[in-house]
Amino acid sequence: MGNLYPTPNDWKAILVKALDMPVGDIPMIGTAYEVWDIILRRIVPYKEQSIDLLSCVTSREEVGGNNVFLLNLLDSLKDAHKRQVTAIAEAIIKKQCILFLGPSLLMCNQDGLPVPFDKAFSTELAAKLKQRSEPIFFEETKKDQLSYIAQRYNEIPTFTPEDLGQRASKFYEENQDESSLLFERLAKLYFPIIINTNPDKKLYRTIEERKPNTCIYRYYSFENNQNLSSEAQPIMNYNEQSDLAEDQPKTLFYNLLGSFDAPGSLMLSESRLLKFMDKVLRERPAIDKKIKAEFDDQKYYLFLGFDIEQWYVKILFSTVFGLSRQEGRGFSIFPENMIVIPANQDFFEEEFKFYFITNDLAKFIGQVLEKYRELGGK
């Protein structure tokens, strides 16, 4: 790239055209090789941006159109993306894909803009701590980290987890975002189990509106583990040869960290999350064994907007669910504005063989849905 675009005007023109990057974000100091090193390090984790850049460069015959290396790299990136979309679509058709919903999918509407619920609610709680007659200290840089701010409420003697859960439920009810394109597309696909790490049930309602009586809703709590009993049987041991309607599988929609429906079940603070991990590992109460039985070496796992920075995630995946460590079965898709620490990404790539894909979530699921239909999915 340094040879192809050696001057500030060169790299400014290509970046503005290919990536719509603001001019102020483009480094202007250093050699061409130094500047391109900074730029490429910034975009390499994002496959879509890398494809956009290479597509732009190789479309210019006088500059990069005859560059065999860049053309091959572009083809490789495009093919990898196609293979990943195809693998997920095929797994869904075979009813072998489990879906995880992460924190960035639960959105609030603030001043007309969508904001992740955990960050919006945490900031609201932090402001309340400051307004108290006897303010409670917290680190200002962590005011949007919900588990940390929720933990600070333990300093209030009369405050209970249920009080915090009620505040969370009310805040979401008053500020929930109505956008639903992603959920509408997901509802057209079949997943035997959907594990939701948020306390809402928006996707559950979307599925039920589209296909009534095809989704079972449960959540985990310390007081009531929502045992599935025989109700879950249609989910498990599905017979693909059967055409009988009553034998068609249902989706289990499972809120792992509690539900707005039961404010006392919400796992918001660090201490509640720690207690949750202890309860789950000791099986007091356990996550229903019928759910855990689905996590076998035949499954594929699709993680949307999932926050792998949380300390408990690694324990959940390895110890509680025992995710398959086979190559090509775990896909983590997160939005372009979500920051993932490289060391954590490396761990999940090595330990769980995850593929990380940075993309617009609704756009990506749209591509999966298109491939799913192309392959004969209904």
Side-chain angles (χ1 to χ4, degrees):
M1 293 301 293
N3 288 333
L4 294 174
Y5 300 97
T7 71
N9 286 337
D10 288 332
W11 62 65
K12 184 187 301 182
I14 193 68
L15 289 175
V16 169
K17 179 180 179 182
L19 305 177
D20 195 25
M21 185 179 287
V23 174
D25 288 354
I26 301 172
M28 300 298 292
I29 299 176
T31 67
Y33 302 103
E34 290 171 337
V35 170
W36 277 108
D37 180 65
I38 293 171
I39 294 169
L40 293 176
R41 285 178 184 276
R42 186 183 301 177
I43 71 166
V44 160
Y46 309 111
K47 187 169 293 183
E48 288 291 311
Q49 286 192 342
S50 299
I51 290 174
D52 288 343
L53 177 62
L54 287 169
S55 297
C56 183
V57 171
T58 54
S59 69
R60 298 182 62 180
E61 190 68 31
E62 76 281 7
V63 181
N66 294 316
N67 191 308
V68 176
F69 171 76
L70 293 180
L71 286 168
N72 288 340
L73 181 58
L74 176 60
D75 288 341
S76 175
L77 285 173
K78 285 183 175 179
D79 287 346
H81 184 75
K82 290 178 182 177
R83 286 196 302 271
Q84 290 161 355
V85 168
T86 300
I88 294 170
E90 289 176 341
I92 294 172
I93 289 174
K94 294 175 182 177
K95 301 176 176 60
Q96 294 288 333
C97 188
I98 294 176
L99 174 63
F100 285 80
L101 305 179
S104 69
L105 269 63
L106 183 58
M107 306 298 288
C108 287
N109 188 311
Q110 291 198 321
D111 300 323
L113 297 174
V115 180
F117 165 79
D118 59 344
K119 296 186 181 300
F121 182 51
S122 181
T123 302
E124 170 85 0
L125 288 178
K128 297 293 185 183
L129 288 178
K130 278 187 176 181
Q131 294 167 7
R132 285 174 51 83
S133 57
E134 296 181 4
I136 292 177
F137 170 80
F138 61 87
E139 294 183 36
E140 187 68 26
T141 57
K142 296 182 179 180
K143 68 180 181 181
D144 63 351
Q145 297 181 24
L146 181 54
S147 61
Y148 167 75
I149 293 297
Q151 187 67 28
R152 300 306 298 144
Y153 271 75
N154 286 342
E155 297 295 315
I156 305 174
T158 59
F159 216 77
T160 68
E162 186 164 4
D163 293 332
L164 204 58
Q166 288 173 347
R167 283 199 184 187
S169 299
K170 183 179 179 182
F171 181 84
Y172 178 68
E173 184 179 347
E174 294 175 348
N175 298 279
Q176 61 181 297
D177 182 62
E178 297 299 328
S179 59
S180 58
L181 177 60
L182 172 62
F183 290 156
E184 287 172 1
R185 288 177 174 175
L186 286 171
K188 295 174 183 177
L189 301 167
Y190 170 74
F191 301 93
I193 294 179
I194 298 174
I195 303 291
N196 186 20
T197 62
N198 299 308
D200 72 309
K201 53 181 182 182
K202 185 174 181 178
L203 178 54
Y204 163 77
R205 288 197 299 267
T206 305
I207 295 172
E208 279 292 286
E209 288 170 3
R210 177 177 171 77
K211 298 174 288 187
N213 302 315
T214 61
C215 199
I216 298 170
Y217 173 68
R218 292 290 183 269
Y219 61 87
Y220 184 93
S221 72
F222 298 147
E223 295 73 24
N224 175 12
N225 71 337
Q226 298 279 298
N227 194 287
L228 290 168
S229 187
S230 60
E231 193 174 16
Q233 290 303 322
I235 304 169
M236 317 302 170
N237 303 317
Y238 173 65
N239 182 358
E240 287 192 43
Q241 306 304 316
S242 175
D243 293 326
L244 298 176
E246 58 266 30
D247 288 335
Q248 294 303 302
K250 292 186 178 182
T251 291
L252 170 62
F253 190 91
Y254 192 80
N255 276 17
L256 185 65
L257 302 178
S259 169
F260 284 135
D261 290 345
S265 70
L266 270 59
M267 315 295 175
L268 299 175
S269 67
E270 292 283 358
S271 57
R272 291 280 286 182
L273 286 168
L274 185 60
K275 184 179 179 181
F276 165 75
M277 292 306 306
D278 180 65
K279 292 277 189 180
V280 167
L281 293 175
R282 293 175 181 269
E283 300 189 342
R284 300 178 181 174
I287 292 175
D288 197 288
K289 290 181 172 58
K290 292 184 179 67
I291 297 173
K292 294 173 67 174
E294 282 290 287
F295 289 78
D296 56 41
D297 59 7
Q298 300 301 308
K299 294 295 188 299
Y300 287 73
Y301 308 105
L302 178 59
F303 299 85
L304 296 184
F306 213 81
D307 188 359
I308 64 170
E309 311 300 329
Q310 298 295 332
W311 59 268
Y312 59 85
V313 171
K314 296 173 184 176
I315 302 173
L316 274 176
F317 289 177
S318 62
T319 306
V320 178
F321 292 129
L323 294 193
S324 171
R325 290 169 168 79
Q326 293 188 47
E327 189 76 39
R329 290 187 181 273
F331 301 87
S332 182
I333 294 85
F334 54 93
E336 294 174 346
N337 60 351
M338 187 173 178
I339 298 174
V340 178
I341 297 174
N344 280 330
Q345 181 171 330
D346 290 345
F347 173 85
F348 280 88
E349 287 175 341
E350 294 172 6
E351 183 67 15
F352 297 108
K353 312 303 180 186
F354 272 22
Y355 288 121
F356 282 84
I357 304 170
T358 306
N359 207 325
D360 177 273
L361 300 183
K363 176 182 177 182
F364 183 84
I365 294 303
Q367 293 169 344
V368 171
L369 180 59
E370 183 179 348
K371 176 58 67 172
Y372 170 83
R373 288 170 171 167
E374 181 184 317
L375 296 173
K378 298 178 181 179

